[in-house]
Amino acid sequence: PNVGLTAALRLGPATALLYGRRAEVLLRLGRPRAAIHDCGAALGVNPNQAKAYKTRARAHARLKRWSEAHADFQTGLNMDYDDDTYEESKPVADKIREMQTVAAERRVRADEAAEARRCAARRAEAEAALQVRLQEQERRAQETFEKELIERKLGREPFYLQAKRQGYMTDFMGMKRGSCKCSRCDFYVWRPVRMNS
């Protein structure tokens, strides 16, 4: 019968009915891809042929192309409803629902993972900022400690005490010395040195 349909398609004008019948035969012979091709040709000639949609849906279902099968079943049933095709379309609809559930679960897991990554990044930023603040506090505390240490050490020096009272210290040449350049102590303390003449 397939040879007769092919010959008829070659001889006369190609009709949607001939393409549809050959698609059914091809599907029965276990050639779903060829059946899909013929159904597409039938729908190209007549886009309102429900039988071509139903045959193509069955071929897609054989190839486990559930989305295409579901769409073709729905279109065919909307054009020409029959109970047998509806019963055939139920397992495909179940597969589609199952696929949608799995896709939704994956989407939820992906969103949760992205949110966890964002939270981890914010936590890392907060920890880095806290570390910077702690280092700054530690540096200031170290500077304060060193300044206090120098003041305690210099607090016993008579030149330092004199300079603190006077507000400056003169060296042995009579030059006034102002604030210390190290920025840790209050005054630049110049200890006079005896020169050998």
Side-chain angles (χ1 to χ4, degrees), residues 107-140:
R107 204 166 38 249
V108 166
R109 279 198 301 271
D111 290 346
E112 287 173 354
E115 183 61 30
R117 283 193 298 273
R118 283 194 293 272
C119 286
R122 284 195 298 266
R123 197 165 36 249
E125 284 176 14
E127 286 176 3
L130 179 64
Q131 194 68 26
V132 168
R133 281 199 303 273
L134 288 174
Q135 287 174 355
E136 182 64 23
Q137 288 175 358
E138 190 176 335
R139 187 186 62 78
R140 286 180 185 167

Side-chain angles (χ1 to χ4, degrees), residues 11 13 19 23 32 40 53 56 66 72 96 119 130 137 139 169 174:
L11 288 174
Y19 275 124
Y53 279 110
R56 191 168 71 174
W66 306 117
D72 283 344
I96 288 291
C119 286
L130 179 64
Q137 288 175 358
R139 187 186 62 78
M169 181 70 179

Side-chain angles (χ1 to χ4, degrees), residues 31-128:
R31 296 179 60 194
R33 285 186 177 82
I36 289 169
H37 182 269
D38 274 5
C39 288
L43 292 169
V45 175
N46 179 11
N48 295 323
Q49 192 182 21
K51 197 165 191 176
Y53 279 110
K54 293 173 185 178
T55 305
R56 191 168 71 174
R58 291 181 186 103
H60 280 307
R62 281 234 187 124
L63 294 171
K64 297 184 180 180
R65 297 176 181 169
W66 306 117
S67 310
E68 294 91 338
H70 182 66
D72 283 344
F73 269 130
Q74 294 306 309
T75 308
L77 286 169
N78 285 338
M79 288 181 179
D80 180 27
Y81 181 85
D82 67 279
D83 290 330
D84 294 336
T85 307
Y86 176 71
E87 290 300 322
E88 274 186 83
S89 72
K90 278 183 177 180
V92 174
D94 291 341
K95 284 281 187 187
I96 288 291
R97 273 193 293 278
E98 187 181 314
M99 287 167 55
Q100 288 172 345
T101 305
V102 168
E105 287 173 0
R106 280 187 190 150
R107 204 166 38 249
V108 166
R109 279 198 301 271
D111 290 346
E112 287 173 354
E115 183 61 30
R117 283 193 298 273
R118 283 194 293 272
C119 286
R122 284 195 298 266
R123 197 165 36 249
E125 284 176 14
E127 286 176 3

